[in-house]
Amino acid sequence: MSSDVDTLVEMGFPRNRAQRALHSTQFKGLQQAMDWMFAHENDADIDDPFELPKGNVLGKEEPKVDQPMEVEGEQGESSAGGGEGEGAATPTSPQQAMSLKCEDCGKLLRSENDVQMHAARTGHANFAESTEEIKPLTAEEKQAQLEKLQERLKAKREEKEAKEKQEAIAREKMRRQTGKEITEARQKLQDEELKRLAEIKRKEKLEEKLAKKKVLDDIERDKKNRAAQFAKEKNQASQPQQSASKPQPAAQPVKKDYDTCRIQITLTNGQRIQETFNAKEQLANVRVFVQTKRSDGDAPFRLMTNYPKKVFTDEDMEKPLTELGLVPSASLILTKPQ
């Protein structure tokens, strides 16, 4: 019977690697040794020289220790005197041990290494030297055993490849699932951002509409006040004067003091912005506000009113809004400087 080391070598494994694998798995069989080699094939020292522990060599006699010879009676004297008589002992040569035998199961083993492997596999512990010779395997038996081990090896590799393929499929599924979750989260954030921007734009349009309506209402109210004042003055002028010494004072329109001024500014790109200022603030503060809120570039500009049409100069920038007639509300337009 060939040893497990020789079998692994015939299968194509390096001898040092096969010996190390068998020793590391406590000689529990070829399958476990091959599993160990697959698991440690990337070790740096897997093919370094390796020597299995050596046991007793079959057939080698242990050194003899001289023992004192005992002489009993005449037979001892006769044998010491020349050994030619009938009572002379004929020396016999000891038989050489050809194998080791497991006394637990009766299996013959070739070497001490085979004994260690057999003991590791079976748990047997009683062994003795035997004169029986182990017949070597025939070529057909070796080939059959080798084919059987190669089939095991092939099945092990196929099992390993199938496992790796399943793990790769699982990793790919996990990668796709993670990518899908990331895409969905990104899309959700984009949708929320679009909704937020749409809500901001809706509020801006609503505020702009309300501001425009307020400006139109203020203009209409001013028109009515002017028309009423004009009619009143005309009516007073048509009445006869009562006395030159006691002229009747003309009725003065009631003026209301406003603390704030709401101004709407139209930029050069048509966009409108609005802000409420203190009635006593200077027009320069309105100009600074426009500069900080512009979205139509940073080209120089002047402020003007369309009704009545007036372009404000640098001197007007130092005047309060009440003096410029912009209280309680007004609409300003940006225009290029002349």
Side-chain angles (χ1 to χ4, degrees):
M1 179 186 296
S2 61
S3 66
D4 289 348
V5 175
D6 295 334
T7 303
L8 292 174
V9 171
E10 291 179 0
M11 293 175 65
F13 295 104
R15 180 173 291 276
N16 290 327
R17 184 180 301 191
Q19 291 175 340
R20 181 172 279 103
L22 289 168
H23 182 266
S24 299
T25 56
Q26 300 180 355
F27 305 97
K28 292 184 179 181
L30 294 176
Q31 186 61 44
Q32 294 193 22
M34 288 189 292
D35 293 342
W36 186 92
M37 284 189 288
F38 288 140
H40 296 79
E41 59 183 355
N42 295 324
D43 292 356
D45 61 344
I46 192 170
D47 291 324
D48 290 350
F50 181 81
E51 293 184 2
L52 291 171
K54 295 181 179 180
N56 297 330
V57 179
L58 295 179
K60 183 177 180 180
E61 297 181 358
E62 297 293 334
K64 295 181 179 181
V65 180
D66 295 336
Q67 299 291 339
M69 183 179 295
E70 296 182 0
V71 179
E72 296 182 1
E74 296 179 357
Q75 182 177 357
E77 293 177 358
S78 174
S79 59
E84 294 180 359
E86 293 180 357
T90 303
T92 59
S93 61
Q95 293 183 350
Q96 185 176 2
M98 303 299 294
S99 62
L100 293 170
K101 184 176 182 180
C102 177
E103 295 183 350
D104 294 330
C105 65
K107 183 175 181 179
L108 296 177
L109 304 168
R110 186 181 299 277
S111 64
E112 183 69 21
N113 293 331
D114 294 340
V115 170
Q116 293 179 8
M117 289 186 286
H118 180 75
R121 284 195 296 262
T122 62
H124 296 169
N126 299 316
F127 299 91
E129 292 184 347
S130 175
T131 58
E132 298 182 38
E133 183 179 2
I134 300 175
K135 295 182 181 180
L137 293 176
T138 64
E140 291 79 5
E141 291 174 340
K142 286 183 178 181
Q143 183 64 27
Q145 186 176 10
L146 180 59
E147 291 177 354
K148 184 177 180 180
L149 291 175
Q150 286 177 345
E151 289 178 359
R152 287 186 184 177
L153 180 60
K154 182 179 179 182
K156 187 68 177 178
R157 287 177 177 172
E158 291 177 352
E159 180 182 354
K160 183 179 180 181
E161 291 176 357
K163 183 178 180 180
E164 291 176 350
K165 186 176 180 180
Q166 292 178 354
E167 292 176 352
I169 293 174
R171 287 194 299 269
E172 179 64 18
K173 288 183 178 179
M174 180 64 68
R175 185 190 67 80
R176 293 184 179 181
Q177 180 65 23
T178 304
K180 182 180 179 181
E181 293 176 354
I182 293 174
T183 302
E184 291 177 352
R186 187 182 294 117
Q187 184 64 38
K188 183 178 180 181
L189 290 176
Q190 291 178 354
D191 294 342
E192 292 177 353
E193 181 66 15
L194 290 175
K195 290 180 180 179
R196 187 182 68 84
L197 294 176
E199 182 65 19
I200 292 174
K201 189 173 182 180
R202 186 188 67 80
K203 290 181 178 180
E204 289 178 351
K205 286 184 176 181
L206 180 60
E207 292 176 357
E208 182 179 350
K209 183 178 180 180
L210 294 175
K212 185 176 181 180
K213 183 178 182 301
K214 187 177 184 304
V215 170
L216 294 176
D217 293 342
D218 292 341
I219 293 173
E220 186 66 24
R221 184 173 59 255
D222 292 341
K223 287 181 179 180
K224 291 180 179 180
N225 292 336
R226 291 192 188 98
Q229 182 66 24
F230 178 77
K232 186 176 182 180
E233 291 177 353
K234 185 177 180 180
N235 188 25
Q236 290 179 354
S238 63
Q239 292 179 359
Q241 296 183 354
Q242 297 180 358
S243 174
S245 60
K246 295 180 181 180
Q248 294 294 331
Q252 298 294 328
V254 179
K255 293 185 178 180
K256 183 179 179 181
D257 293 333
Y258 293 94
D259 296 332
T260 59
C261 175
R262 188 177 185 87
I263 298 179
Q264 178 175 278
I265 303 103
T266 303
L267 305 180
T268 57
N269 61 357
Q271 182 182 358
R272 292 185 178 87
I273 57 177
Q274 61 182 5
E275 183 64 22
T276 301
F277 299 90
N278 190 290
K280 295 182 180 181
E281 286 189 68
Q282 297 178 349
L283 184 59
N285 293 348
V286 179
R287 182 180 181 88
V288 172
F289 170 76
V290 173
Q291 290 175 340
T292 59
K293 298 294 184 179
R294 290 186 68 185
S295 61
D296 58 344
D298 54 357
F301 66 92
R302 286 186 179 274
L303 296 174
M304 64 171 289
T305 58
N306 196 23
Y307 181 82
K309 188 172 183 180
K310 179 181 179 180
V311 178
F312 295 100
T313 63
D314 294 338
E315 296 178 356
D316 295 329
M317 295 296 154
E318 304 298 328
K319 297 179 182 180
L321 301 178
T322 54
E323 184 178 341
L324 297 174
L326 301 177
V327 179
S329 63
S331 295
L332 299 179
I333 302 174
L334 267 64
T335 181
K336 296 181 180 179
Q338 299 296 331

